Amino acid sequence: MIETNRPAAAPADDEPDLLRDQFRQLLRYRRLIGAGIGIGLLGGVYLGISTADTYVATADVVLRAPTDDPFNPSLAPDKAINIGSERQVALSSSIANEAAKKLGVGASGFAALRSGLQVTNPPQTMVLRFTYTADSPKEAAKRANAMTEAYLLKRQESLDATRDKMVKGYKEQRDPIAKQLDELSKEIARMPAGAGRDAASSSKTDLQSEVGGYNTKITKLEALDMTPGRVTSAATAPPGADGPGVLMSLALGAAVGLALGLLAAWVRLVFDPAPRSEGDVARALRAPVLGYLPRDRTGGGPLLAAGEADPRLAEEYRSVAFRLAYDARFADRRRLLVVAPRGSSETAAAVAVNLAASFAETGKDVLLIEADLRTPVLASQLPTDAGGRPRWSQTPGSPNQGGRHSDTEWPDGRQLVVDAGESGSFDLIPGERARNVPRSLTSARATRLISEADSPNSTVVVLAPPVLSYADALALVDRVDGVLVVCDPRAVHRTDLSRIRELISGAGGTVLGAVLHAPLPGEKRSRGKDKAVPAPTGPAAGPGTSSKPGPPVSQPQPIPYEVAEPEQHIPGDGTDTVALRTVRMGRR
């Protein structure tokens, strides 16, 4: 036998899906991305304008070391020249001073003259590249060439000074020896032949050899080629500005701005506590998103969606009910608790009512229990008719009169029938204000009500207050273990959803899924307007009720708690049935 009831588990996290989901979430921050692109475009405009009148001229100089044989392959120029030191010399103030003298630049323009120069060294070469930036092409070429000539001149002077100093030193060492050699030669000429003359001749030979060595060194230094280098590429006036141009600057600025905007959006997304996608909600609750209610543009919409002109909302409710029916965790017990995280329960009430209508449409016996005993309104918001009392309330000897109840605490045995139009009908146990809400929810009578789902082909839907505002829902979880969370993903935090899952799991329940919805139109309008709206259409006046209209209020008021008297009208007893298409949702 093939099992058809399978749990609608949360989808597994897939890396490509997560990346696509994050990228879609980034697109929600269009203002940040647009601001980044705008800043980038402004930067591109500034770059294009600031570089529109900037011209760059370049001159290349190849350095060479002094040598007496330029064709000797054993000579390594990179060993004789420190290219890094030469680059620093080219950027020094002495070179700028020499160029300023040639260009006729005064002391006031010396700093600007020096700041426009840039000297670089292409890798694996003995080339210094002089790059000069100026406001005009001719000025840039002129100053680049002047800087090149000043550097070569200074380098030539430095090399000549070094050679002259060395030659002078050798001469200073040679001259005393040469003078001693002249005196010894004169003495040898006067000396007679013999051993003394021979010894003097031997000393003369040593002195001549030493003098000859110094002469050789001096001659070698004087024969050196002291050329400091040569200009391989003189600077010429550039044909155009050095900047990328306005169009290229705008394109570059837009690209950089887009990157900055995406980065800002990503940072905003990382630190955003609200779930921005169905995947975030599913991961926080560890349960699937069963549906996303379409945006209601009618200003609230009816509580029952069946029969409306726009069938999308009703079809979405049917889809949620279908997915729940094929979840084994719900199909086994057929108990469903509908809650909101915090704030208003208006949408949660609509979800509970329409899921009850959808289950009734499939032929099930549906019982909707309004366990919200703090602001009960379903009896006045739904087209109801008085029905029979539940079996558990018909105790022996108890009166079963149409207008009186044997109990005054909820549940008091009152059961209404809700006409859902083409979907059929379902039973409603309306909520009433109770003095002790936790005791009423955990009473034996409430337990017997929920146990109605144990009957064949029966389904129980329970509506509870927001789970993070009151503990009422947690008191029902152990009996209605399947929980459906109804929330606006933009108005709740991921930590709130995780806390809801932990609370429900700790109480012994299971989160079956979530139903998401957009912000209510009434909430958006009430932010900027403080206008009073008329009270919602209440039940028709019965005997003992006043026909005097009440004052206008900003929100529909819940039904006040009061004990019914024999002649008092009871909402929902059959005399206050309202047309299905005219009922509007009340504020909860």
Side-chain angles (χ1 to χ4, degrees):
M1 181 177 178
I2 300 177
E3 181 183 0
T4 57
N5 292 338
R6 298 181 181 274
D13 293 340
D14 186 20
E15 189 68 23
D17 291 340
L18 289 177
L19 292 177
R20 286 191 291 268
D21 187 45
Q22 286 186 356
F23 183 76
R24 285 193 296 267
Q25 293 178 47
L26 288 179
L27 297 181
R28 294 178 180 268
Y29 302 102
R30 297 182 180 89
R31 293 185 179 179
L32 283 177
I33 297 177
I37 295 177
I39 293 174
L41 290 175
L42 291 177
V45 171
Y46 173 77
L47 178 63
I49 295 176
S50 62
T51 58
D53 55 351
T54 301
Y55 298 90
V56 176
T58 303
D60 292 338
V61 176
V62 177
L63 304 182
R64 60 188 303 274
T67 179
D68 57 351
D69 186 3
F71 302 104
N72 186 3
S74 62
L75 182 63
D78 57 337
K79 302 297 182 183
I81 301 176
N82 189 332
I83 194 66
S85 299
E86 294 298 331
R87 178 177 172 274
Q88 295 300 321
V89 170
L91 292 171
S92 64
S93 59
S94 60
I95 304 300
N97 283 327
E98 188 66 25
K101 294 178 182 178
K102 293 185 177 182
L103 295 172
V105 177
S108 59
F110 177 77
L113 173 66
R114 188 177 178 183
S115 63
L117 178 64
Q118 182 180 6
V119 181
T120 58
N121 169 234
Q124 305 298 325
T125 64
M126 299 300 296
V127 175
L128 287 182
R129 178 163 297 166
F130 289 75
T131 304
Y132 200 90
T133 304
D135 296 337
S136 65
K138 293 183 179 180
E139 189 68 17
K142 181 180 179 181
R143 295 195 173 191
N145 289 327
M147 287 290 185
T148 303
E149 295 174 0
Y151 169 72
L152 290 177
L153 178 61
K154 283 293 183 180
R155 178 171 168 77
Q156 180 72 57
E157 292 178 354
S158 177
L159 294 176
D160 291 341
T162 301
R163 181 185 63 178
D164 294 343
K165 185 175 181 179
M166 292 183 66
V167 169
K168 181 180 179 181
Y170 284 140
K171 288 181 177 181
E172 290 177 352
Q173 297 179 29
R174 182 200 62 181
D175 291 344
I177 300 176
K179 183 178 181 181
Q180 185 180 358
L181 177 60
D182 292 340
E183 293 177 353
L184 184 57
S185 297
K186 292 179 181 180
E187 290 180 2
I188 292 175
R190 295 192 297 266
M191 293 178 61
R197 185 184 180 92
D198 294 338
S201 298
S202 177
S203 298
K204 178 183 177 181
T205 302
D206 294 339
L207 292 175
Q208 288 177 343
S209 176
E210 191 171 355
V211 171
Y214 282 116
N215 289 332
T216 301
K217 292 179 181 180
I218 293 173
T219 303
K220 188 176 182 179
L221 286 173
E222 292 177 346
L224 288 177
D225 183 3
M226 304 300 293
T227 303
R230 69 178 186 276
V231 178
T232 59
S233 177
T236 58
D242 180 64
V246 177
L247 295 180
M248 184 62 69
S249 298
L250 288 176
L252 181 62
V256 174
L258 177 61
L260 290 177
L262 290 176
L263 178 61
W266 180 80
V267 172
R268 178 69 177 86
L269 176 64
V270 169
F271 292 99
D272 188 2
R276 288 296 184 173
S277 68
E278 297 182 5
D280 282 352
V281 176
R283 283 187 289 271
L285 290 175
R286 296 183 185 176
V289 175
L290 301 179
Y292 202 121
L293 302 182
R295 186 182 297 273
D296 185 6
R297 304 180 185 276
T298 61
L303 194 61
L304 272 170
E308 283 301 301
D310 188 359
R312 294 180 303 164
L313 188 58
E315 291 301 324
E316 187 66 26
Y317 286 125
R318 292 189 182 98
S319 176
V320 174
F322 179 81
R323 296 190 66 180
L324 285 173
Y326 276 82
D327 190 336
R329 298 170 294 180
F330 173 75
D332 291 342
R333 292 176 56 85
R334 302 182 303 282
R335 293 177 174 89
L336 181 64
L337 181 65
V338 181
V339 294
R342 64 172 77 247
S344 173
S345 293
E346 179 178 349
T347 307
V351 171
V353 169
N354 286 277
L355 286 181
S358 299
F359 288 132
E361 190 175 4
T362 61
K364 295 184 180 297
D365 297 330
V366 183
L367 176 62
L368 174 60
I369 302 175
E370 186 181 15
D372 189 350
L373 307 184
R374 303 179 187 275
T375 56
V377 294
L378 289 186
S380 62
Q381 298 291 319
L382 292 174
T384 57
D385 192 2
R389 301 179 65 181
R391 291 186 298 273
W392 56 264
S393 67
Q394 298 174 359
T395 56
S398 63
N400 191 13
Q401 302 175 3
R404 292 183 61 88
H405 304 291
S406 59
D407 302 309
T408 58
E409 292 293 335
W410 186 90
D412 58 0
R414 186 160 57 106
Q415 180 172 335
L416 306 178
V417 178
V418 178
D419 181 13
E422 297 179 355
S423 298
S425 62
F426 58 89
D427 295 334
L428 169 66
I429 302 297
E432 292 186 3
R433 288 183 176 271
R435 295 183 177 88
N436 193 326
V437 174
R439 180 177 298 176
S440 299
L441 294 177
T442 57
S443 64
R445 290 177 294 180
T447 302
R448 288 195 295 271
L449 267 181
I450 297 174
S451 64
E452 291 287 332
D454 295 335
S455 303
N457 201 35
S458 297
T459 301
V460 173
V461 180
V462 181
L463 173 65
V467 66
L468 294 180
S469 299
Y470 305 100
D472 301 355
L474 300 179
L476 299 168
V477 166
D478 58 342
R479 285 161 291 175
V480 190
D481 52 0
V483 180
L484 182 66
V485 180
V486 181
C487 64
D488 175 12
R490 296 175 182 265
V492 69
H493 293 176
R494 288 188 294 266
T495 55
D496 293 341
L497 297 177
S498 300
R499 185 184 175 195
I500 290 174
R501 173 181 53 79
E502 293 172 356
L503 291 175
I504 293 174
S505 299
T510 303
V511 179
L512 300 179
V515 174
L516 308 183
H517 64 89
L520 298 178
E523 293 179 353
K524 290 185 176 180
R525 287 193 298 268
S526 63
R527 294 178 183 175
K529 300 180 180 180
D530 190 16
K531 295 174 63 178
V533 296
T537 304
T545 59
S546 174
S547 61
K548 182 180 180 180
V553 293
S554 59
Q555 292 183 347
Q557 301 298 316
I559 302 174
Y561 172 79
E562 56 185 3
V563 179
E565 297 295 333
E567 63 276 4
Q568 183 180 8
H569 168 71
I570 300 176
D573 64 352
T575 64
D576 57 349
T577 303
V578 188
L580 175 63
R581 301 192 182 208
T582 61
V583 177
R584 315 297 289 185
M585 283 193 294
R587 304 293 301 175
R588 295 180 63 84

